[in-house]
Amino acid sequence: MLEVKNLCKHFGGIKAVDGATFTVEKGAITALIGPNGAGKTTAFNCISRTAAPTSGEVWLDGERIDHLRPHKITAKGLSRTFQISRNLGDMTVIENVIVQSRVDGLRGLFRPAMSQEEKDKAMSILDFLGITRIAHEDGHNLSYGQKKLMDLAALLMSDPKIILLDEPAGGVNPSLMEEIVGHIRALNDKGLTVLIVEHNMDLIMRLSHKVVVMAHGKVICAGTPDVVRKDPHVLDAYLGGVLEDEAA
């Protein structure tokens, strides 16, 4: 479904992403992992076009999208979350979710700010995530974990066929982390394709069908969790470093 070819993003002399190439198969949960500074989030930014790639190509369902604006990419069926919630604090949860609805162009100027259809759809998504109780709570009153769930709800309003999740369980308590994992599995069971960046290796190895490993802006390994776990390049660049830190 998603194909990244020789993707590069340079900031002056710094090569944050340096010729990364990988694929995300339709209906799979694919993880993008690597140490801090590996280029994972920058790759996400280039794929979703929140940052313009220096070079390379991004293809979605056989169509090249790296030249499109972010809202056009969303309309093609690719949506993403961010590490830090970008909610609008003075708006309620349901308003924050509906903001992510598909845009109808000029026709949208002649309809209510929130249609009943959008309200019903948003409440259905909040119900799926178990957070209807906070539907009318202001965004600035939410806990960190609630913001993570709201971001996931907003993501689903655009009817995506592939979602990019940037550390969806980062910073949340273990109970909520398992809840989020359950939601991701349930969405995948319904046919949604998932690409996820996450530092929790236990979560990644349990959740993913495929793992892509980046280091220094390059892809150094890609395969099943079992294959990646045993790869010597991965152990040296990422997993080994983590184990050494824990031992120290």
XYZ file of all heavy atoms in Angstrom, residues 55-158:
818
model
N 14.651 14.737 -1.521
C 14.562 13.914 -2.728
C 13.920 12.585 -2.358
O 13.669 12.297 -1.189
C 15.948 13.694 -3.349
O 16.805 13.011 -2.442
N 13.666 11.775 -3.391
C 13.038 10.487 -3.158
C 11.572 10.505 -3.545
O 11.028 11.542 -3.955
N 10.936 9.355 -3.392
C 9.550 9.210 -3.807
C 8.736 8.507 -2.724
O 9.252 7.654 -2.003
C 9.461 8.395 -5.104
C 10.217 9.009 -6.272
C 10.187 8.122 -7.506
O 9.484 7.072 -7.474
O 10.859 8.470 -8.496
N 7.441 8.867 -2.651
C 6.489 8.191 -1.771
C 5.271 7.835 -2.621
O 4.679 8.711 -3.264
C 6.062 9.081 -0.587
C 5.057 8.332 0.297
C 7.274 9.513 0.232
N 4.907 6.552 -2.607
C 3.786 6.070 -3.399
C 2.729 5.465 -2.488
O 3.038 4.717 -1.553
C 4.256 5.005 -4.393
C 5.174 5.531 -5.456
C 6.484 5.903 -5.311
C 4.845 5.752 -6.830
N 6.997 6.344 -6.501
C 6.022 6.261 -7.465
C 3.695 5.564 -7.596
C 6.046 6.580 -8.817
C 3.728 5.868 -8.945
C 4.884 6.378 -9.542
N 1.466 5.809 -2.740
C 0.333 5.271 -1.988
C -0.616 4.594 -2.965
O -1.162 5.248 -3.864
C -0.388 6.388 -1.237
C -1.639 5.982 -0.442
C -1.266 5.033 0.699
C -2.359 7.213 0.105
N -0.792 3.296 -2.801
C -1.671 2.532 -3.698
C -1.351 2.774 -5.170
O -2.249 2.981 -6.000
C -3.139 2.882 -3.421
C -3.806 1.849 -2.525
O -3.185 0.794 -2.267
O -4.934 2.088 -2.084
N -0.067 2.810 -5.489
C 0.347 2.960 -6.875
C 0.343 4.376 -7.401
O 0.623 4.600 -8.586
N 0.056 5.361 -6.540
C 0.029 6.765 -6.953
C 1.095 7.548 -6.186
O 1.168 7.468 -4.959
C -1.353 7.372 -6.693
C -1.479 8.825 -7.096
C -2.860 9.398 -6.845
O -3.745 8.633 -6.390
O -3.063 10.595 -7.080
N 1.898 8.315 -6.885
C 2.931 9.092 -6.232
C 2.310 10.287 -5.499
O 1.509 11.029 -6.079
C 3.965 9.581 -7.250
C 5.187 10.195 -6.600
C 6.281 10.475 -7.609
N 7.391 11.179 -6.983
C 8.502 11.540 -7.616
N 8.644 11.253 -8.920
N 9.465 12.168 -6.975
N 2.698 10.468 -4.216
C 2.049 11.506 -3.408
C 3.023 12.505 -2.789
O 2.593 13.441 -2.111
C 1.214 10.872 -2.268
C 2.114 10.077 -1.305
C 0.093 10.009 -2.822
C 1.418 9.621 -0.043
N 4.338 12.335 -3.004
C 5.296 13.192 -2.294
C 5.270 14.642 -2.764
O 5.875 15.506 -2.135
C 6.716 12.624 -2.416
C 7.112 12.341 -3.853
O 7.660 13.232 -4.512
O 6.858 11.211 -4.306
N 4.571 14.942 -3.858
C 4.460 16.311 -4.351
C 3.171 16.990 -3.884
O 2.967 18.175 -4.130
C 4.486 16.317 -5.882
C 3.339 15.569 -6.495
N 3.244 14.187 -6.434
C 2.239 15.993 -7.165
C 2.132 13.797 -7.045
N 1.506 14.874 -7.495
N 2.287 16.235 -3.222
C 0.990 16.769 -2.822
C 1.062 17.525 -1.506
O 1.945 17.287 -0.678
C -0.027 15.632 -2.688
C -0.320 14.806 -3.948
C -1.291 13.674 -3.614
C -0.884 15.686 -5.050
N 0.096 18.418 -1.280
C -0.025 19.097 0.006
C -0.633 18.132 1.029
O -1.324 17.177 0.649
C -0.887 20.351 -0.145
C -0.249 21.428 -1.017
C -1.091 22.679 -1.052
N -0.451 23.728 -1.835
C -0.955 24.949 -1.997
N -2.105 25.271 -1.429
N -0.305 25.839 -2.731
N -0.391 18.402 2.323
C -0.859 17.460 3.349
C -2.343 17.128 3.276
O -2.730 15.957 3.423
C -0.509 18.181 4.661
C 0.675 19.027 4.310
C 0.426 19.484 2.902
N -3.210 18.134 3.046
C -4.648 17.850 3.033
C -5.032 16.995 1.826
O -5.992 16.216 1.883
C -5.462 19.143 3.059
C -5.404 19.959 1.813
N -4.316 20.757 1.503
C -6.282 20.103 0.792
C -4.544 21.362 0.343
N -5.722 20.973 -0.111
N -4.272 17.091 0.748
C -4.534 16.255 -0.421
C -4.143 14.807 -0.130
O -4.801 13.864 -0.578
C -3.752 16.775 -1.624
C -4.201 18.137 -2.131
C -5.566 18.063 -2.783
C -5.948 19.386 -3.425
N -7.303 19.331 -4.044
N -3.051 14.644 0.623
C -2.620 13.296 0.999
C -3.643 12.661 1.936
O -3.966 11.481 1.816
C -1.223 13.349 1.640
C -0.179 13.719 0.576
C -0.869 12.009 2.291
C 1.217 13.909 1.102
N -4.182 13.460 2.858
C -5.243 12.958 3.739
C -6.446 12.522 2.926
O -7.053 11.479 3.193
C -5.653 14.039 4.750
O -4.526 14.388 5.561
C -6.767 13.540 5.662
N -6.803 13.303 1.916
C -7.937 12.959 1.066
C -7.694 11.669 0.291
O -8.638 10.959 -0.070
C -8.230 14.103 0.092
N -6.426 11.327 0.055
C -6.080 10.084 -0.632
C -6.182 8.873 0.294
O -6.107 7.735 -0.161
C -4.656 10.167 -1.199
C -4.455 11.223 -2.273
C -5.128 10.855 -3.577
C -4.821 11.885 -4.656
N -5.543 11.575 -5.924
N -6.306 9.126 1.617
C -6.498 8.018 2.547
C -5.381 7.782 3.526
O -5.340 6.749 4.194
N -4.438 8.726 3.644
C -3.327 8.582 4.600
C -3.444 9.674 5.664
O -3.462 10.856 5.347
C -1.988 8.679 3.881
C -0.722 8.446 4.716
C 0.394 7.859 3.844
C -0.208 9.733 5.377
N -3.539 9.269 6.924
C -3.613 10.216 8.040
C -2.597 9.843 9.102
O -2.184 8.687 9.197
C -5.016 10.238 8.651
O -5.956 10.731 7.729
N -2.222 10.809 9.920
C -1.178 10.565 10.914
C -1.465 11.281 12.233
O -2.264 12.214 12.297
C 0.168 11.054 10.392
C 0.215 12.562 10.203
C 1.616 13.103 10.131
N 2.383 12.856 11.352
C 3.644 13.221 11.513
N 4.282 13.860 10.550
N 4.270 12.975 12.644
N -0.803 10.788 13.288
C -0.770 11.497 14.558
C 0.636 12.053 14.765
O 1.562 11.732 14.019
C -1.116 10.567 15.742
O -0.134 9.520 15.822
C -2.497 9.965 15.579
N 0.792 12.863 15.814
C 2.088 13.443 16.147
C 2.487 12.999 17.554
O 1.643 12.606 18.366
C 2.017 14.973 16.084
C 1.787 15.507 14.696
C 0.504 15.591 14.174
C 2.848 15.915 13.901
C 0.282 16.064 12.885
C 2.643 16.393 12.616
C 1.352 16.470 12.109
N 3.781 13.088 17.848
C 4.263 12.726 19.181
C 3.580 13.571 20.253
O 3.174 13.072 21.295
C 5.777 12.929 19.265
C 6.597 11.909 18.526
C 8.084 12.125 18.690
O 8.522 12.801 19.630
N 8.879 11.577 17.791
N 3.470 14.859 19.987
C 2.835 15.789 20.924
C 1.467 16.157 20.372
O 1.345 16.560 19.216
C 3.694 17.051 21.120
C 5.069 16.661 21.670
C 3.002 18.047 22.044
C 6.046 17.806 21.763
N 0.429 16.005 21.197
C -0.941 16.273 20.757
C -1.081 17.697 20.240
O -0.585 18.656 20.839
C -1.909 16.058 21.922
O -3.232 16.351 21.528
N -1.775 17.842 19.111
C -1.986 19.157 18.505
C -3.445 19.579 18.638
O -4.016 20.179 17.734
C -1.553 19.125 17.041
C -0.066 18.868 16.866
C 0.391 19.123 15.461
N 1.844 19.073 15.344
C 2.531 19.456 14.268
N 1.885 19.923 13.216
N 3.836 19.387 14.245
N -4.052 19.246 19.777
C -5.455 19.590 19.966
C -5.635 21.092 20.167
O -4.718 21.810 20.573
C -6.025 18.826 21.166
C -5.516 19.350 22.487
O -6.092 20.238 23.091
N -4.386 18.791 22.950
N -6.834 21.559 19.873
C -7.201 22.959 20.065
C -7.846 23.073 21.440
O -8.980 22.644 21.651
C -8.160 23.410 18.957
C -7.574 23.239 17.544
C -8.641 23.460 16.482
C -6.411 24.201 17.324
N -7.117 23.631 22.401
C -7.512 23.599 23.809
C -8.825 24.263 24.126
O -9.502 23.890 25.079
N -9.221 25.257 23.345
C -10.469 25.979 23.617
C -11.676 25.326 22.951
O -12.783 25.852 23.031
C -10.353 27.434 23.152
C -9.348 28.221 23.988
O -9.173 27.867 25.177
O -8.735 29.166 23.464
N -11.467 24.210 22.290
C -12.561 23.474 21.670
C -12.796 22.181 22.426
O -11.887 21.631 23.049
C -12.245 23.182 20.197
C -12.146 24.421 19.324
S -11.603 24.070 17.625
C -12.955 23.060 17.028
N -14.009 21.679 22.385
C -14.326 20.430 23.062
C -13.724 19.252 22.299
O -13.274 19.390 21.154
C -15.845 20.226 23.170
O -16.389 20.075 21.849
C -16.513 21.403 23.875
N -13.764 18.085 22.945
C -13.229 16.884 22.317
C -13.951 16.593 21.006
O -13.318 16.353 19.971
C -13.336 15.680 23.278
C -13.037 14.372 22.548
C -12.387 15.857 24.453
N -15.276 16.626 21.017
C -16.020 16.310 19.791
C -15.745 17.335 18.701
O -15.666 17.000 17.514
C -17.541 16.188 20.073
C -18.239 15.561 18.861
C -18.157 17.526 20.454
C -19.674 15.152 19.138
N -15.540 18.593 19.080
C -15.188 19.612 18.087
C -13.801 19.350 17.511
O -13.581 19.484 16.294
C -15.259 21.005 18.723
C -16.670 21.477 19.008
C -16.710 22.739 19.860
O -15.691 23.050 20.517
O -17.764 23.400 19.878
N -12.863 18.977 18.369
C -11.514 18.641 17.901
C -11.548 17.469 16.930
O -10.804 17.446 15.940
C -10.610 18.294 19.085
C -9.857 19.492 19.628
O -8.882 19.938 19.035
N -10.321 20.020 20.747
N -12.401 16.505 17.208
C -12.503 15.325 16.344
C -13.128 15.697 15.001
O -12.642 15.307 13.937
C -13.319 14.216 17.046
C -13.632 13.073 16.080
C -12.554 13.689 18.253
N -14.189 16.495 15.025
C -14.899 16.853 13.797
C -14.062 17.757 12.900
O -14.216 17.740 11.673
C -16.268 17.489 14.139
C -17.196 16.401 14.690
C -16.894 18.170 12.926
C -18.534 16.904 15.168
N -13.155 18.516 13.482
C -12.259 19.352 12.677
C -11.534 18.517 11.632
O -11.172 19.010 10.552
C -11.237 20.077 13.602
C -10.028 20.575 12.822
C -11.918 21.261 14.286
N -11.327 17.230 11.917
C -10.592 16.356 11.016
C -11.464 15.737 9.923
O -10.977 14.913 9.141
C -9.935 15.223 11.820
C -9.022 15.688 12.931
C -7.743 16.299 12.407
O -7.338 16.046 11.279
N -7.097 17.118 13.212
N -12.732 16.121 9.845
C -13.620 15.562 8.828
C -13.141 15.916 7.427
O -12.409 16.896 7.229
C -15.049 16.087 9.010
O -15.590 15.684 10.246
N -13.587 15.130 6.470
C -13.263 15.430 5.076
C -13.806 16.801 4.690
O -14.902 17.185 5.097
C -13.858 14.371 4.146
C -13.149 13.037 4.232
C -13.694 12.101 3.168
N -13.029 10.814 3.206
C -11.905 10.536 2.570
N -11.307 11.459 1.855
N -11.370 9.334 2.630
N -13.045 17.530 3.897
C -13.433 18.870 3.469
C -14.134 18.795 2.121
O -13.672 18.121 1.201
C -12.189 19.787 3.370
C -12.582 21.169 2.878
C -11.499 19.880 4.725
N -15.268 19.505 1.997
C -16.043 19.490 0.754
C -15.792 20.712 -0.116
O -16.568 21.011 -1.011
C -17.545 19.419 1.084
C -17.910 18.107 1.753
O -17.286 17.089 1.419
O -18.810 18.104 2.602
N -14.736 21.451 0.190
C -14.451 22.642 -0.603
C -15.435 23.759 -0.312
O -15.892 23.937 0.825
N -15.808 24.523 -1.327
C -16.690 25.668 -1.138
C -18.064 25.278 -0.615
O -18.718 26.061 0.071
C -16.830 26.432 -2.464
C -15.577 27.166 -2.949
C -15.822 27.778 -4.319
C -15.156 28.250 -1.954
N -18.473 24.053 -0.903
C -19.784 23.613 -0.404
C -19.839 23.638 1.114
O -20.909 23.821 1.707
C -20.088 22.199 -0.904
C -20.421 22.124 -2.395
C -20.705 20.695 -2.806
N -19.532 19.835 -2.625
C -19.546 18.519 -2.759
N -20.684 17.899 -3.059
N -18.445 17.812 -2.606
N -18.669 23.444 1.751
C -18.627 23.451 3.199
C -18.977 24.787 3.823
O -19.358 24.867 4.998
N -18.867 25.862 3.046
C -19.198 27.199 3.560
C -20.694 27.373 3.759
O -21.130 28.279 4.472
C -18.667 28.274 2.604
C -17.152 28.339 2.417
C -16.803 29.373 1.354
C -16.460 28.683 3.730
N -21.486 26.528 3.143
C -22.938 26.699 3.165
C -23.640 25.648 4.011
O -24.823 25.385 3.848
C -23.493 26.666 1.733
C -22.908 27.730 0.849
C -21.852 27.433 0.001
C -23.387 29.031 0.897
C -21.291 28.410 -0.803
C -22.842 30.013 0.089
C -21.792 29.707 -0.758
N -22.900 25.051 4.922
C -23.497 24.068 5.810
C -23.139 24.412 7.255
O -22.223 25.214 7.510
C -23.012 22.665 5.455
C -21.559 22.435 5.766
C -21.133 21.007 5.475
N -19.792 20.761 5.992
C -19.178 19.594 5.898
N -19.778 18.587 5.314
N -17.969 19.440 6.394
N -23.809 23.803 8.233
C -23.492 24.078 9.641
C -22.056 23.694 9.968
O -21.460 22.832 9.306
C -24.480 23.191 10.403
C -25.581 22.898 9.438
C -24.947 22.878 8.078
N -21.501 24.342 10.997
C -20.125 24.041 11.395
C -19.962 22.565 11.750
O -18.926 21.954 11.466
C -19.726 24.912 12.580
N -20.982 22.003 12.384
C -20.971 20.576 12.704
C -22.323 19.997 12.308
O -23.339 20.318 12.917
C -20.716 20.338 14.196
C -19.351 20.746 14.695
S -18.996 20.106 16.357
C -20.275 20.912 17.330
N -22.330 19.173 11.290
C -23.580 18.542 10.862
C -23.938 17.405 11.818
O -23.075 16.888 12.535
C -23.448 18.002 9.446
O -22.551 16.894 9.425
N -25.208 17.022 11.808
C -25.637 15.922 12.665
C -24.937 14.626 12.269
O -24.577 13.808 13.121
C -27.151 15.737 12.586
C -27.705 14.761 13.612
C -27.383 15.176 15.040
O -27.617 16.322 15.434
N -26.842 14.251 15.827
N -24.707 14.462 10.980
C -24.003 13.273 10.503
C -22.590 13.210 11.075
O -22.117 12.147 11.505
C -23.943 13.289 8.973
C -23.265 12.068 8.381
C -23.187 12.122 6.863
O -23.715 13.083 6.261
O -22.590 11.192 6.283
N -21.901 14.366 11.091
C -20.554 14.410 11.658
C -20.577 14.151 13.154
O -19.704 13.448 13.683
C -19.922 15.772 11.368
C -19.527 15.965 9.917
C -19.047 17.378 9.632
O -19.558 18.327 10.258
O -18.161 17.535 8.785
N -21.558 14.710 13.847
C -21.673 14.488 15.290
C -21.882 13.006 15.585
O -21.261 12.440 16.497
C -22.816 15.309 15.870
C -22.595 16.814 15.872
C -23.821 17.533 16.420
C -23.666 19.035 16.340
N -24.885 19.738 16.810
N -22.763 12.385 14.824
C -23.039 10.961 15.035
C -21.799 10.116 14.768
O -21.491 9.173 15.512
C -24.188 10.507 14.127
C -25.527 11.120 14.518
O -25.633 11.626 15.646
O -26.451 11.092 13.675
N -21.094 10.457 13.695
C -19.878 9.713 13.349
C -18.819 9.878 14.427
O -18.163 8.908 14.844
C -19.346 10.200 12.006
C -18.092 9.473 11.534
C -17.664 9.993 10.172
C -16.411 9.295 9.672
N -15.976 9.799 8.347
N -18.632 11.129 14.905
C -17.639 11.395 15.940
C -17.974 10.651 17.230
O -17.090 10.050 17.863
C -17.546 12.898 16.208
N -19.249 10.657 17.616
C -19.650 9.963 18.836
C -19.461 8.452 18.695
O -19.099 7.773 19.664
C -21.105 10.278 19.171
C -21.321 11.704 19.683
S -20.365 12.096 21.180
C -21.163 11.025 22.384
N -19.669 7.926 17.485
C -19.458 6.499 17.260
C -17.986 6.138 17.447
O -17.656 5.098 18.046
C -19.919 6.132 15.847
O -19.632 4.781 15.555
N -17.101 7.005 16.964
C -15.656 6.760 17.112
C -15.250 6.887 18.578
O -14.477 6.071 19.096
C -14.864 7.746 16.239
C -15.105 7.448 14.753
C -13.364 7.662 16.551
C -14.520 8.486 13.810
N -15.762 7.896 19.260
C -15.453 8.060 20.684
C -15.958 6.865 21.486
O -15.312 6.433 22.450
C -16.071 9.358 21.209
C -15.495 10.667 20.640
C -16.271 11.867 21.178
C -14.016 10.812 20.963
N -17.105 6.328 21.092
C -17.651 5.150 21.766
C -16.739 3.945 21.543
O -16.477 3.169 22.466
C -19.061 4.868 21.245
C -19.699 3.680 21.938
O -19.808 3.699 23.183
O -20.067 2.710 21.250
N -16.248 3.779 20.322
C -15.323 2.693 20.013
C -14.084 2.766 20.898
O -13.567 1.747 21.364
C -14.925 2.765 18.533
C -13.727 1.932 18.171
C -13.811 0.548 18.111
C -12.503 2.528 17.891
C -12.704 -0.224 17.785
C -11.392 1.767 17.567
C -11.493 0.384 17.506
N -13.614 3.993 21.160
C -12.414 4.189 21.981
C -12.734 4.282 23.475
O -11.820 4.421 24.301
C -11.679 5.461 21.535
C -11.123 5.431 20.104
C -10.543 6.790 19.734
C -10.057 4.346 19.960
N -14.010 4.238 23.819
C -14.414 4.259 25.226
C -14.274 5.600 25.912
O -14.048 5.663 27.130
N -14.417 6.704 25.164
C -14.221 8.038 25.760
C -15.390 8.976 25.457
O -15.214 10.193 25.393
C -12.896 8.681 25.303
C -12.777 8.696 23.768
C -11.709 7.983 25.929
C -11.572 9.484 23.266
N -16.593 8.432 25.318
C -17.762 9.308 25.094
C -17.991 10.228 26.288
O -18.550 11.319 26.134
C -19.029 8.474 24.839
O -19.182 7.512 25.895
C -18.948 7.754 23.510
N -17.545 9.822 27.470
C -17.763 10.625 28.678
C -17.058 11.973 28.625
O -17.419 12.909 29.356
C -17.304 9.854 29.914
C -15.801 9.602 29.961
C -15.382 8.662 31.063
N -13.936 8.491 31.126
C -13.251 7.695 30.317
N -13.884 7.010 29.376
N -11.939 7.588 30.444
N -16.036 12.104 27.786
C -15.301 13.364 27.703
C -15.600 14.114 26.403
O -14.898 15.055 26.050
C -13.779 13.152 27.840
C -13.233 12.293 26.669
C -13.430 12.537 29.189
C -11.708 12.250 26.609
N -16.669 13.717 25.716
C -16.969 14.295 24.399
C -17.111 15.814 24.449
O -16.734 16.503 23.498
C -18.237 13.667 23.829
N -17.639 16.334 25.546
C -17.897 17.768 25.622
C -16.940 18.489 26.585
O -17.197 19.617 27.005
C -19.354 18.010 26.019
C -20.331 17.387 25.051
N -20.527 17.869 23.780
C -21.115 16.282 25.172
C -21.410 17.110 23.147
N -21.780 16.141 23.975
N -15.837 17.807 26.893
C -14.799 18.401 27.736
C -13.872 19.249 26.878
O -13.549 18.896 25.743
C -13.997 17.290 28.418
C -13.080 17.752 29.537
C -13.830 18.163 30.778
O -14.726 17.410 31.209
O -13.519 19.248 31.306
N -13.439 20.410 27.408
C -12.494 21.246 26.663
C -11.155 20.535 26.532
O -10.707 19.840 27.454
C -12.283 22.584 27.372
C -13.463 23.528 27.194
O -14.308 23.247 26.325
O -13.541 24.537 27.914
N -10.497 20.737 25.404
C -9.234 20.080 25.131
C -8.164 20.350 26.166
O -7.354 19.472 26.489
N -8.136 21.569 26.734
C -7.076 21.902 27.695
C -7.305 21.253 29.054
O -6.433 21.311 29.922
C -6.915 23.418 27.840
C -8.154 24.147 28.265
N -8.697 24.023 29.514
C -8.948 25.014 27.582
C -9.777 24.781 29.612
N -9.951 25.386 28.448
N -8.465 20.620 29.261
C -8.739 19.947 30.537
C -8.376 18.463 30.514
O -8.504 17.783 31.526
C -10.232 20.072 30.895
C -10.624 21.488 31.245
O -9.790 22.282 31.695
N -11.891 21.823 31.038
N -7.917 17.966 29.400
C -7.669 16.531 29.263
C -6.325 16.126 29.855
O -5.369 16.896 29.849
C -7.697 16.133 27.789
C -8.964 16.436 26.992
C -8.815 15.911 25.567
C -10.198 15.861 27.658
N -6.270 14.888 30.300
C -4.991 14.311 30.717
C -4.185 13.968 29.478
O -4.698 13.952 28.352
C -5.223 13.050 31.551
O -5.756 12.017 30.734
N -2.914 13.643 29.681
C -2.055 13.298 28.553
C -2.596 12.084 27.806
O -2.648 12.067 26.566
C -0.635 13.024 29.059
C 0.374 12.782 27.967
C 0.893 13.827 27.217
C 0.808 11.483 27.676
C 1.816 13.612 26.206
C 1.736 11.256 26.667
C 2.239 12.326 25.939
O 3.134 12.103 24.932
N -3.022 11.077 28.558
C -3.552 9.870 27.938
C -4.839 10.128 27.177
O -5.054 9.563 26.090
N -5.708 10.968 27.737
C -6.956 11.309 27.044
C -6.678 12.038 25.735
O -7.382 11.838 24.746
C -7.838 12.157 27.953
C -8.460 11.380 29.105
C -9.172 12.270 30.108
O -8.833 13.445 30.273
N -10.168 11.717 30.776
N -5.651 12.875 25.717
C -5.279 13.569 24.479
C -4.815 12.579 23.428
O -5.105 12.731 22.238
C -4.185 14.600 24.759
C -4.652 15.818 25.543
C -3.500 16.789 25.810
C -3.978 17.991 26.596
N -2.864 18.922 26.910
N -4.092 11.537 23.848
C -3.654 10.507 22.916
C -4.859 9.812 22.270
O -4.887 9.559 21.054
C -2.785 9.474 23.633
C -1.400 9.958 24.028
C -0.454 9.940 22.844
C 0.969 10.217 23.246
N 1.915 10.200 22.100
N -5.864 9.488 23.081
C -7.058 8.837 22.563
C -7.854 9.774 21.662
O -8.405 9.359 20.643
C -7.930 8.336 23.723
C -7.359 7.161 24.520
C -8.205 6.889 25.754
C -7.284 5.908 23.648
N -7.911 11.060 22.031
C -8.615 12.030 21.198
C -7.928 12.176 19.840
O -8.583 12.277 18.802
C -8.701 13.394 21.887
C -9.485 14.432 21.086
S -9.526 16.047 21.874
C -7.792 16.528 21.700
N -6.593 12.179 19.841
C -5.845 12.259 18.585
C -6.169 11.071 17.684
O -6.311 11.212 16.468
C -4.338 12.305 18.862
C -3.892 13.621 19.468
O -4.664 14.598 19.422
O -2.761 13.676 19.994
N -6.284 9.889 18.289
C -6.613 8.693 17.521
C -8.028 8.797 16.953
O -8.269 8.433 15.794
C -6.474 7.450 18.403
C -6.712 6.091 17.738
C -5.812 5.908 16.520
C -6.496 4.970 18.744
N -8.952 9.324 17.761
C -10.328 9.512 17.293
C -10.373 10.483 16.119
O -11.050 10.236 15.109
C -11.202 10.026 18.438
N -9.649 11.598 16.235
C -9.627 12.598 15.167
C -9.073 12.011 13.877
O -9.547 12.304 12.775
C -8.809 13.812 15.607
N -8.069 11.165 14.024
C -7.444 10.511 12.875
C -8.468 9.718 12.063
O -8.427 9.698 10.826
C -6.342 9.579 13.388
C -5.395 8.923 12.396
C -4.396 9.937 11.874
C -4.657 7.781 13.083
N -9.396 9.068 12.768
C -10.339 8.166 12.112
C -11.479 8.905 11.410
O -12.188 8.310 10.596
C -10.905 7.191 13.147
C -9.870 6.290 13.835
C -10.538 5.448 14.920
C -9.164 5.399 12.818
N -11.651 10.192 11.692
C -12.744 10.956 11.085
C -12.580 11.125 9.582
O -13.550 11.354 8.864
C -12.870 12.328 11.742
C -13.664 12.353 13.011
S -15.396 11.852 12.831
C -16.104 13.267 11.973
N -11.361 11.029 9.077
C -11.134 11.232 7.636
C -11.270 9.940 6.835
O -10.964 9.918 5.643
C -9.745 11.840 7.408
O -8.730 10.955 7.852
